[in-house]
Amino acid sequence: MSNSAVTSSPSMWGDDPRSPSGDARGVRGRPTISDAIYFFILALAAVYCLKTYPDSMDYYERIILVATVPMLVWMGWLWRPLRTMTIVISLVALFAIWLYSPDGNLANGDINRAETVFFLKYLISSQSAILWMCALFVLATVMYWIGMASPTAAWIGSGLTWAAVYAGSIGLLVRWREGHLLGPDIGHIPVSNLYEVFVLFALMTALFYLYYERRYATRALGGFVLLVVSSVVVFLLWYSFTRDAHQIQPLVPALKSWWMKIHVPANFIGYGTFALSAMVGFAYLIKENGETTSWAKLSPVFILGVLLCAEPLIFSSGKFSATWMLYFGISAIIVGLIMAFRRPIAQRLPDLEILDDIMYRAIAVGFAFFTIATILGALWAADAWGTYWQWDPKETWALIVWLNYAAWLHMRFMKGLRGTFSAYWALVGLLVTSFAFLGVNMFLSGLHSYGEL
């Protein structure tokens, strides 16, 4: 794709209609018969859920379910692979739910079958699927970096990333059903604790990356973006095996609200795209300094990279220093290797204009969803606590994150911010976002401190 095609694209979601590769890269056209069939399938699925699980949803949840249908149809129109993903994930999740039902009635089920049925035990119970997601993401990261020298390996990395997204999404859907099988007061949408939202964060980051990978026809960024996702995998594995965090627990009273079902996913679309933009910013700085021999010029990039690696160690507050000191050491070595081999890596990366455009689009999408999430959070607070805003630490840092990216976008629109400074800003933004996401829960007690290590 030429640089002019990138900069003249009509929207942050759509592709340039002049793209010679057509719909293969997600170009929006007029709705087709396949869009109508997709809508029909989703509508039937929604009706089935409403009839099969009427006692599991209140009035507002039914509205959310019905509204999800046109939203998914719209998103599937914007990006065709999403349609296939939605249907396959839904069918596999239904298969898992059926396996939990000894009498074939999907409204019934036995959670103990997770240890006796082969497919549940090893593949598609929630914990099995999420573990597969973790393994696939790590393998994808390795293959993307090997792909810097071998295009075939990069192609495999892309396939493994898709497989990980499928596995993680199936895991979350099945986990939702497993909660209801444990008891009527236990089942809830799996976005209520650190374990669940870290899975969601990994999926959102990877899924948005796959969109841009397809749109810009480049796999060279996969290794950069998947580094963040692999860091999430390390946390998930540690959190699961040392704290039994994968166990499904009843919701605390403050989280028993339908607001959670829309506030949290919107928030993590923002977090995921902000992480994506930061790693694209890192790639931009590597590309820009590929021929540089001055370490003085490279030192800010290295320092920021090491600081990002050190965040889990800092957040640990001494609780799991041995694990995260090892993580920090390995991560710092990886950053150092990327800096040392910057020249061949830079040659494989897209043009600076494309990297800058991806960075902007990711921040623009993230800012839109984060704004929506903040508004929804204020409405939820008013419903739960009687006031829209209390300057709770989480609320305060959410405002700081919002102001940070609002300023970034303002400087781009009004002052033409581009290039090096915007890339550094995106990296610093990930530091700020990480603290708002995790650090606040660790260091600052408040109304939102539901996650503990």
Side-chain angles (χ1 to χ4, degrees):
M1 177 183 284
S2 67
N3 294 343
S4 61
V6 173
T7 55
S8 61
S9 183
S11 100
M12 71 179 67
W13 284 98
D15 291 321
D16 191 332
R18 297 170 294 176
S19 173
S21 55
D23 192 60
R25 288 173 64 180
V27 176
R28 291 182 298 173
R30 292 184 177 181
T32 63
I33 186 65
S34 62
D35 293 299
I37 294 173
Y38 182 55
F39 171 78
F40 181 71
I41 292 173
L42 291 180
L44 283 179
V47 170
Y48 176 83
C49 290
L50 290 171
K51 287 184 173 293
T52 306
Y53 307 108
D55 298 331
S56 300
M57 293 179 283
D58 60 25
Y59 174 77
Y60 296 104
E61 290 166 334
R62 294 188 182 96
I63 293 176
I64 293 172
L65 175 62
V66 173
T68 299
V69 172
M71 182 188 72
L72 287 175
V73 172
W74 174 68
M75 292 173 65
W77 173 59
L78 293 175
W79 188 32
R80 302 300 189 190
L82 192 64
R83 300 188 306 184
T84 304
M85 174 182 157
T86 304
I87 293 173
V88 172
I89 287 173
S90 299
L91 289 175
V92 176
L94 281 173
F95 177 61
I97 294 172
W98 178 76
L99 290 176
Y100 274 117
S101 308
D103 59 358
N105 183 355
L106 297 186
N108 302 321
D110 180 7
I111 190 65
N112 295 317
R113 289 173 64 84
E115 297 299 323
T116 59
V117 178
F118 176 85
F119 283 106
L120 292 176
K121 186 174 182 179
Y122 295 105
L123 292 173
I124 53 176
S125 68
S126 65
Q127 181 64 359
S128 297
I130 289 171
L131 287 176
W132 276 109
M133 178 201 76
C134 293
L136 290 167
F137 272 140
V138 172
L139 289 173
T141 306
V142 173
M143 296 309 295
Y144 270 125
W145 281 109
I146 296 175
M148 288 290 180
S150 170
T152 301
W155 182 86
I156 295 173
S158 183
L160 289 171
T161 305
W162 271 112
V165 169
Y166 274 71
S169 300
I170 291 167
L172 285 183
L173 286 176
V174 176
R175 183 180 177 87
W176 197 345
R177 176 56 178 158
E178 288 172 349
H180 286 281
L181 292 179
L182 288 170
D185 296 327
I186 298 177
H188 57 269
I189 185 172
V191 292
S192 64
N193 56 43
L194 280 178
Y195 177 82
E196 293 167 348
V197 298
F198 260 93
V199 175
L200 183 63
F201 176 60
L203 292 176
M204 289 299 176
T205 305
L207 193 58
F208 272 91
Y209 163 71
L210 289 169
Y211 170 79
Y212 290 115
E213 177 185 87
R214 185 180 179 91
R215 182 181 188 280
Y216 289 89
T218 177
R219 294 187 173 93
L221 289 172
F224 287 88
V225 177
L226 268 290
L227 286 176
V228 170
V229 178
S230 293
S231 297
V232 171
V233 165
V234 173
F235 177 88
L236 278 172
L237 293 176
W238 172 85
Y239 201 33
S240 178
F241 290 114
T242 64
R243 298 293 189 272
D244 285 332
H246 63 280
Q247 300 293 337
I248 301 174
Q249 301 294 335
L251 287 176
V252 299
L255 295 179
K256 292 181 178 180
S257 170
W258 62 272
W259 287 104
M260 182 179 70
K261 297 174 176 61
I262 50 180
H263 167 71
V264 176
N267 234 338
F268 280 87
I269 291 175
Y271 285 145
T273 50
F274 293 155
L276 169 61
S277 69
M279 299 314 293
V280 174
F282 183 32
Y284 184 100
L285 296 171
I286 295 297
K287 175 76 173 181
E288 185 180 46
N289 295 288
E291 302 296 328
T292 299
T293 58
S294 171
W295 279 97
K297 189 174 181 180
L298 291 169
S299 59
V301 186
F302 181 75
I303 291 171
L304 275 175
V306 171
L307 282 174
L308 285 169
C309 296
E311 274 197 309
L313 183 63
I314 296 170
F315 292 159
S316 71
S317 190
K319 296 179 182 177
F320 51 108
S321 57
T323 301
W324 292 100
M325 282 185 68
L326 179 62
Y327 166 86
F328 169 70
I330 295 173
S331 301
I333 290 172
I334 291 173
V335 172
L337 288 173
I338 293 172
M339 302 293 291
F341 291 95
R342 63 190 178 279
R343 179 174 296 178
I345 293 173
Q347 292 171 354
R348 297 287 298 174
L349 289 170
D351 293 341
L352 292 175
E353 291 82 358
I354 292 178
L355 294 172
D356 183 81
D357 195 58
I358 296 173
M359 188 165 46
Y360 152 66
R361 290 171 186 274
I363 288 178
V365 171
F367 180 75
F369 277 95
F370 196 78
T371 301
I372 293 170
T374 303
I375 295 171
L376 291 172
L379 294 173
W380 185 5
D383 185 44
W385 301 318
T387 179
Y388 291 99
W389 198 270
Q390 301 188 71
W391 294 105
D392 175 77
K394 197 77 168 183
E395 294 173 344
T396 303
W397 274 92
L399 178 61
I400 292 172
V401 171
W402 187 89
L403 290 173
N404 173 70
Y405 290 105
W408 193 98
L409 290 169
H410 174 79
M411 291 296 291
R412 185 178 182 93
F413 292 144
M414 304 304 295
K415 302 295 182 180
L417 178 70
R418 298 288 191 281
T420 306
F421 187 74
S422 63
Y424 276 117
W425 194 338
L427 271 173
V428 173
L430 183 57
L431 286 170
V432 175
T433 302
S434 299
F435 187 83
F437 173 23
L438 191 59
V440 169
N441 289 46
M442 302 302 104
F443 299 120
L444 304 174
S445 62
L447 295 170
H448 291 77
S449 297
Y450 304 120
E452 295 181 356
L453 297 180

